[in-house]
Amino acid sequence: MKKSFLIKYGELALKGKNRYMFENKLMDQIRYRIDGLGKFKVQKEQGRLFVEPLGEFEEEEVLSAIKEVFGISYICPVVMIDTDDFDTIKETTIQFMKEQYEDFDFTFKVEARRANKNYPLNSMDICREVGAYILDNFETLKVDVKTPDKRVWIELRDRTYIYSRQIKGLGGMPVGSNGRGMLLLSGGIDSPVAGYMVAKRGVAIDAVYFHSHPYTSERAKEKVIELAKIISRKTGPIRLHVVPFTEIQLAIYEKCPHDQLTIIMRRIMMQIAEIHAKTVKSLALITGEAIGQVASQTIQSLAATNDVCTLPVFRPLIGFDKQEIIDISLKIDTYETSILPYEDCCTVFVAKHPVTKPNIKAIKRSEEKLIDIEEMIDRAVDDTVVIKIKPSRD
Ligand code: ATP
Ligand code: MG
């Protein structure tokens, strides 16, 4: 009786001819996440993946690592035996239950699946016979086929797998199965959540952060790095582009009407983000904007910001209330870091009364005053520092 992990994936199975590609990406992501936790063999078998430990391992540690991989519907710690001999299956089930549980006062149900349709017993027979054998061995247990406290699954494949825990995965699709996107990552609550949501659909993430030293502190930058580390547990490695933004912000502040500052700044951020996106072969930009959340996110402001973009801009939070975004940030562990009170470049150079319905023509006229903006953008791009972010294990 050996321990292993059986991985179930839902949506992937629908992908027809592309299925093997999705399965391979999922296996890559699992291998990446369990790296350092022991030696494992990751393989697929008829619509399931198996992570088989080849030496020492810590079950809960491996489970929490696999739990962070997108594309998984359930993870089941299983025991496996190299035979489909029915007496051995029954004995192993008893042994498994003794190891699994301490108190035997619950109701249960046996569920069986067999890949080999020529097996002498059908699924119903297996359930019935194993169920009866369990009752013989544990007098205090009762069967409840409708709402059992516990389920005992038996799957007969090349080997036989027995398990009774099904841990819910994150769903979604494996990262890397849907191209790359460039996340505009600030230190706030919204953008890490936006990155998480797009990565959940299989998009690999890189990020860009606009840093206005000394108006934004080193600590503000460290906070963004920390947020990138937290989301990278699920999104995989992130190349974080730290763009020096002070020169541009000061120029806007000096030359343009103050009620338009934020919109003009956002338009320039988008242009720089696009340049970096194209360099790393990202096909889209991702932001944490939601309609009406602040003046720069009214529908008119979003249209004015979008006007400079040639890549599609994904705004996964567009219809979310702040509280709904906070709920996700709590779930993905970014909230506590996001609320650390360090200034960000948008709040330093903010107008008292920003326009809420910017007129694109008027904005363009104001931007003409930034005569050397092309050179400034080039410098900001050239002086960008790329930090390679890898997930931390804690
Ligand atoms: P967040 O909570 O993500 O900071 P926000 O509610 O503060 O969002 P804004 O400051 O208007 O909203 O920013 C809108 C979006 O623009 C952010 O979600 C983020 O994608 C991007 N953004 C804002 N500031 C920066 C920055 N300094 N660097 C990178 N992206 C930024
Ligand atoms: Mg912000």
Side-chain angles (χ1 to χ4, degrees), residues 184-186 188-191 208 210 266 288 293 296-297 345-346:
L184 283 86
L185 181 61
S186 69
I189 295 171
D190 306 330
S191 43
V208 49
F210 296 90
R266 308 256 328 116
Q293 204 190 71
S296 59
Q297 295 175 27
C345 66
C346 311

Side-chain angles (χ1 to χ4, degrees), residues 308-377:
V308 296
C309 300
T310 62
L311 290 177
V313 182
F314 296 159
R315 299 179 173 90
L317 308 181
I318 199 73
F320 279 40
D321 295 343
K322 194 73 187 185
Q323 189 57 48
E324 293 172 305
I325 302 170
I326 290 174
D327 290 346
I328 303 177
S329 78
L330 285 166
K331 207 179 76 184
I332 65 171
D333 293 330
T334 51
Y335 183 74
E336 294 300 328
T337 306
S338 288
I339 59 171
L340 293 173
Y342 309 138
E343 68 296 329
D344 88 38
C345 66
C346 311
T347 47
V348 178
F349 294 93
V350 78
K352 276 211 187 73
H353 301 290
V355 279
T356 52
K357 293 182 180 163
N359 172 293
I360 296 184
K361 277 194 191 138
I363 298 283
K364 283 185 174 160
R365 272 199 301 281
S366 303
E367 285 175 346
E368 281 166 15
K369 300 194 182 105
L370 300 167
I371 27 176
D372 46 0
I373 188 64
E374 296 301 327
E375 291 79 12
M376 283 192 274
I377 289 179

Side-chain angles (χ1 to χ4, degrees), residues 136-243:
D136 285 349
N137 279 271
F138 304 98
E139 286 172 359
T140 48
L141 293 188
K142 287 196 184 69
V143 171
D144 180 347
V145 288
K146 287 217 176 91
T147 51
D149 298 327
K150 317 268 183 219
R151 286 169 201 266
V152 179
W153 283 272
I154 298 179
E155 294 200 14
L156 280 81
R157 301 172 172 275
D158 290 346
R159 306 191 245 198
T160 303
Y161 300 91
I162 302 167
Y163 57 100
S164 74
R165 266 170 90 195
Q166 239 198 170
I167 298 144
K168 208 166 168 34
L170 291 172
M173 295 178 163
V175 168
S177 60
N178 275 318
R180 307 198 71 84
M182 179 61 93
L183 170 67
L184 283 86
L185 181 61
S186 69
I189 295 171
D190 306 330
S191 43
V193 173
Y196 165 86
M197 288 181 65
V198 174
K200 184 172 178 219
R201 298 305 302 165
V203 178
I205 299 288
D206 287 306
V208 49
Y209 164 60
F210 296 90
H211 187 49
S212 297
H213 176 79
Y215 301 97
T216 49
S217 65
E218 202 54 26
R219 287 199 302 180
K221 185 172 98 186
E222 291 302 324
K223 174 179 163 182
V224 174
I225 294 173
E226 182 55 28
L227 286 170
K229 274 192 188 158
I230 297 171
I231 61 168
S232 78
R233 287 184 213 150
K234 301 183 178 69
T235 67
I238 294 174
R239 287 166 288 186
L240 175 64
H241 298 65
V242 180
V243 180

